[in-house]
Amino acid sequence: VQNDATGLYGQLTGVPKALLPGIGGKKILDFWWETVNTRQLFSEVYLVTNADKYKHYERWATANDFPVENVVNDGSTTLEGRLGAVADLELAIRSRKLQDDIMVIAGDMLCADQNFDIAQVLRFFRSKPGELAIYYELEEGEKSSSRGIVEVCPETHRISRFLEKPQEGVTALRLASVVFYCLRKATLPYLSDFLTLQPQAQDRTFGRFWEWIINEEKLPVFGMKLPTGFQLIGQVGLSDYTKWLAHYSAQQQQCPAKPITCRSYARVGLMGNPSDGFNGKTIAMTISNFWAEVTLMESQALVLLPHPLNDPTEFGSLQDLYCISRKEGYLGGLRLLQATCKKFYQFCSKQGIALTKQNFTLKYDTNIPRQVVMSATLKCLMKFYNITESDLPKPTRANFILNVETDELFITAGLQDRVVQVYEGLVYMDFSKQLMDEQGYGDYIPMDMSSLPPFWLAYLSDPSDSGRIHSNVRQRWLNGKTHTHTHTGMDWSRLAQLMDENFALRLYSFLFIVRCVCLPMQFGSAAKLPGSGGAVVGLCLDQVRLVEMRRAFQEAGCVFCVIVPYNPSGTIGTNSQD
């Protein structure tokens, strides 16, 4: 403030950094007091200050219902006579005879997002056999030389190395520790041991303490990431304080942000499917003809909006309900949104990512099978909670979505679909057993899409009818149009006959598929099944015959379209649909 040439901050002369205005005009310390003022989580809260600023904090405590007797005065009045941060903590523990797990937070720390869930931090701490240090990912322009940098094991979340303000070029790591820790009761004696080793106040910093605990004493310390930024105002001058306050305030003004809308696209399997379930290799491609779209908007309560078609709650009559239920079934898209949200929270909690306490409203639309909604939902959640690529890499993302289907919703599904919807474009996938066992996922390689030939797709004009391929086998049997044989005894000749009959019946049942694959052969076109939904994908290099084939498919009652590949770097191709 002494260097304030504008005169705008003269009234703040002598005010402790923690009592400076923070985001929205609220004092920085007010925010932290509101965060920890929860009897269900903390038995007592203490504030340590020096003698020079004690009166300021005494007045603040009286005005904010903070117990004045819990303001600890360390007796120092000058920078040269300071005790050091670790010595201040040890003083509070010793003078108040604390014998419990503790949380340590710098009261003068400006936080970019003030809605994180501190209860989630405590739950993660209690789930780990060691101490906890909060960290965040440095923003562009922040130098690692001004922070304590941590190296965190992505599997165990244990901090394997702590570098206190490393010189430029020493490390490429960008994960910065902040003064936000949890220590177990059994570890508190290490504080006095550290102070014995460090007699000089300038060396009694928390950064030096953790560097000693982690690198030398090898105590288990775990890291939890907060997807937000932090700045210790006590370490910066007026210009830096105003810069970061303006920066974080601008971020807050964008909240509630504009609605987040994400799409995930349909895919066609071009080669190898369904060998992804049998450690094979596949090539698949996303297409922009069909998609699922999810929109997320910040809201007071968490709301999942039903889709007017896929999640009907109002019907014209009982007969209308009967007809819709018979044709569409009972399983809409809301369960997909709910299961994805549940698994997302579970994943972040397990991975040590503390989410902000923000609610939202989700709605979706789709013109393809509803399962694709999950991929678009995950994209929205990642953007809303600022989850980065390093937090949730693409291979892990594909496994995540598949697990929502198979483990949470008990939907039979393959990994190929989720991989190509995460990577997007044309993707080669190797699901070899060795890769899957060693790393938990396969090798996924995006392929060049610059010279793709025109692929086509054909399917029944009423998409719901594609279900007849599988669903009406039992109905035809009930109607007497098919036969099921059971036979006891050891008549192997009869068994051989039944095997032939079984194949004939299955061939009859799936006649549409056979017809759609055979029809393109008349026009010199390759064709195959892109999945199991009753559609056919093909490749015809003769444009004249392509037009003739389209007419033949239309006469057979099918929809025929030229595929428009979806390329994440730009859509290519043209669409033709009648």
Side-chain angles (χ1 to χ4, degrees), residues 456-459 512-513 516-517 520 526-530 534-538 553:
W456 55 264
L457 185 73
Y459 57 94
F512 167 75
I513 294 296
C516 284
V517 173
K528 70 179 293 291
L529 305 181
V536 177
V537 65
F553 267 109

Side-chain angles (χ1 to χ4, degrees), residues 27 71 134 167 185 207 212 228 377-379 389 415 471 482 560 577:
K27 293 182 178 66
V71 180
I134 298 297
Q167 293 182 352
K185 171 186 175 181
W212 173 68
T228 184
T377 302
L378 182 59
K379 287 181 182 179
E389 180 77 24
L415 186 53
S471 64
T482 63
F560 184 94
Q577 180 171 337

Side-chain angles (χ1 to χ4, degrees), residues 124 135 154-155 157 223-225 345-354 391-392 396:
F124 187 72
Y135 66 90
E155 283 78 34
H157 313 295
M224 185 176 199
K225 181 182 180 183
Y345 181 86
Q346 182 179 331
F347 173 86
C348 291
S349 297
K350 186 177 179 181
Q351 294 298 117
I353 302 172
D391 297 326
L392 192 48
T396 306

Side-chain angles (χ1 to χ4, degrees), residues 149-162:
I149 302 300
V150 294
E151 183 174 351
V152 185
C153 173
E155 283 78 34
T156 65
H157 313 295
R158 181 169 174 172
I159 298 177
S160 56
R161 192 163 53 124
F162 189 104

Side-chain angles (χ1 to χ4, degrees), residues 359-400:
N359 284 329
F360 54 83
T361 294
L362 277 179
K363 65 178 182 179
Y364 77 97
D365 193 16
T366 180
N367 58 10
I368 48 176
R370 299 168 194 142
Q371 284 92 316
V372 184
V373 166
M374 293 183 291
S375 179
T377 302
L378 182 59
K379 287 181 182 179
C380 286
L381 291 172
M382 290 181 65
K383 286 187 177 182
F384 185 68
Y385 287 108
N386 194 29
I387 303 302
T388 65
E389 180 77 24
S390 60
D391 297 326
L392 192 48
K394 287 183 177 179
T396 306
R397 219 178 304 167
N399 288 345
F400 172 95

Side-chain angles (χ1 to χ4, degrees), residues 50 74 76-85 87-88 200-205:
N50 57 35
D74 74 359
S76 64
T77 57
T78 63
L79 182 64
E80 294 74 19
R82 70 188 186 277
L83 302 186
D88 276 347
Q200 301 299 319
Q202 64 267 25
D203 296 323
R204 293 177 164 184
T205 64

Side-chain angles (χ1 to χ4, degrees), residues 181-320:
Y181 317 114
C182 293
L183 292 91
R184 294 178 302 158
K185 171 186 175 181
T187 308
L188 299 184
Y190 279 87
L191 294 169
S192 56
D193 294 344
F194 172 76
L195 294 175
T196 302
L197 295 172
Q198 302 292 347
Q200 301 299 319
Q202 64 267 25
D203 296 323
R204 293 177 164 184
T205 64
F206 282 115
R208 294 298 178 198
F209 173 74
W210 289 113
E211 201 171 37
W212 173 68
I213 283 288
I214 294 169
N215 300 352
E216 297 182 32
E217 295 299 308
K218 307 297 183 183
L219 260 64
V221 179
F222 297 86
M224 185 176 199
K225 181 182 180 183
L226 281 178
T228 184
F230 293 91
Q231 291 296 323
L232 266 175
I233 301 305
Q235 295 182 351
V236 301
L238 177 63
S239 61
D240 284 325
Y241 159 67
T242 54
K243 180 188 76 172
W244 284 110
L245 181 59
H247 176 63
Y248 289 162
S249 297
Q251 290 181 348
Q252 286 290 304
Q253 288 173 4
Q254 297 172 3
C255 298
K258 295 179 180 178
I260 299 169
T261 298
C262 295
R263 276 189 177 185
S264 288
Y265 293 89
R267 67 93 188 140
V268 290
L270 298 179
M271 186 62 63
N273 58 299
S275 68
D276 53 317
F278 309 97
N279 301 119
K281 300 178 178 66
T282 67
I283 297 176
M285 176 175 66
T286 48
I287 64 175
S288 60
N289 306 63
F290 308 100
W291 65 86
E293 184 175 273
V294 173
T295 298
L296 183 152
M297 302 157 284
E298 188 171 359
S299 57
Q300 286 293 109
L302 201 157
V303 180
L304 306 179
L305 294 178
H307 189 277
L309 293 178
N310 296 326
D311 308 289
T313 57
E314 185 176 331
F315 304 89
S317 65
L318 190 59
Q319 181 185 9
D320 185 35

